[in-house]
Amino acid sequence: MKKIHARTERLLLRDWDSDDLDAYAAIIADPLVMEHIGDGKPRPRSQAEEFIRIVMAHQQSRGWTRFAVEHTASGQLMGFCGVDDKTGQYDFGWRYARSFWGSGFGFEAASAALWVCQNTFSLTHIISKSYPENEGSIRIMQKMGMIQIGEGTDFGRPLVIYGFASEWPDGLI
Ligand SMILES: CC(C)(COP(=O)(O)OP(=O)(O)OC[C@H]1O[C@@H](n2cnc3c(N)ncnc32)[C@H](O)[C@@H]1OP(=O)(O)O)[C@@H](O)C(=O)NCCC(=O)NCCS
């Protein structure tokens, strides 16, 4: 039984299971999904295996991770939304199969995942990063109430960093 962390009108946030591998591997094999992530290249199945191994270890050890997002009506894995800490900060991110874009799911999942991270798991100082051209992603940050608190680079590309003004009154130092 996969643990459910939150339900919204159209989706649920839940723990990952090894049977999510095929669906997640298809998501990260899509060049358009990966266009604004890391080096901008699609990723092989081996990286989906590695990702699922890591998130399943996180959900076992501490509960929170980048939660699996499931479309309630179809039972399909849509992608993920939630926090990882591999950079030493609580980095909130999301990634969905293309067929789910443009219908408000991104913001619906982000609102639910933020609530769970802050209230169930008491995480503070959550940030979110994006390449500036990823307008949809930045719009979700803004709709959650984040503002730009800093900037950086990743793979030689400029990056904007968002957070909550009340937690970063002086920006990201
Ligand atoms: C970015 C992503 C999560 C957006 O998901 P989504 O479900 O389409 O987003 P929503 O429908 O909830 O839209 C949220 C807001 O962004 C806007 N938006 C979404 N995609 C957009 C785009 N490509 N260009 C401009 N605005 C966009 C929407 O209009 C909406 O704003 P509004 O309410 O003011 O109209 C999705 O496209 C995705 O998974 N992309 C690939 C992975 C990725 O880039 N992850 C983030 C890395 S930083």
Side-chain angles (χ1 to χ4, degrees):
M1 189 68 181
K2 299 166 197 167
K3 179 172 176 167
I4 294 172
H5 295 273
R7 288 178 191 279
T8 70
E9 197 180 336
R10 299 180 295 168
L11 53 83
L12 53 89
L13 304 184
R14 62 158 173 79
D15 275 353
W16 291 86
D17 191 87
S18 50
D19 62 14
D20 291 317
L21 177 60
D22 288 349
Y24 186 67
I27 292 170
I28 65 171
D30 182 338
L32 262 190
V33 170
M34 302 308 291
E35 184 182 7
H36 300 302
I37 296 168
D39 63 3
K41 296 192 179 123
R43 295 183 187 167
R45 186 178 176 88
S46 58
Q47 291 202 20
E49 288 167 350
E50 172 73 358
F51 173 84
I52 289 183
R53 190 187 62 71
I54 291 169
V55 289
M56 288 182 70
H58 285 164
Q59 68 201 20
Q60 180 84 28
S61 62
R62 64 193 190 190
W64 55 272
T65 189
R66 292 197 153 170
F67 303 114
V69 180
E70 183 176 305
H71 185 236
T72 314
S74 64
Q76 225 180 308
L77 178 79
M78 302 168 68
F80 70 64
C81 186
V83 170
D84 82 26
D85 64 347
K86 64 175 183 245
T87 60
Q89 286 167 316
Y90 294 136
D91 186 356
F92 193 29
W94 36 71
R95 186 178 303 170
Y96 304 106
R98 213 192 306 175
S99 57
F100 292 105
W101 295 3
S103 302
F105 286 117
F107 179 62
E108 189 171 324
S111 305
L114 180 66
W115 194 97
V116 169
C117 290
Q118 291 180 323
N119 295 283
T120 308
F121 296 108
S122 303
L123 304 187
T124 66
H125 295 85
I126 291 169
I127 61 166
S128 196
K129 301 178 190 171
S130 176
Y131 293 131
E133 58 271 29
N134 196 346
E135 290 176 33
S137 213
I138 292 173
R139 185 76 192 117
I140 291 173
M141 296 170 199
Q142 292 168 339
K143 288 182 75 175
M144 289 195 301
M146 290 176 157
I147 60 160
Q148 188 175 341
I149 56 163
E151 53 196 14
T153 55
D154 203 15
F155 289 88
R157 294 168 66 176
L159 199 63
V160 291
I161 306 173
Y162 274 63
F164 295 100
S166 56
E167 292 182 327
W168 304 97
D170 303 315
L172 188 65
I173 298 170

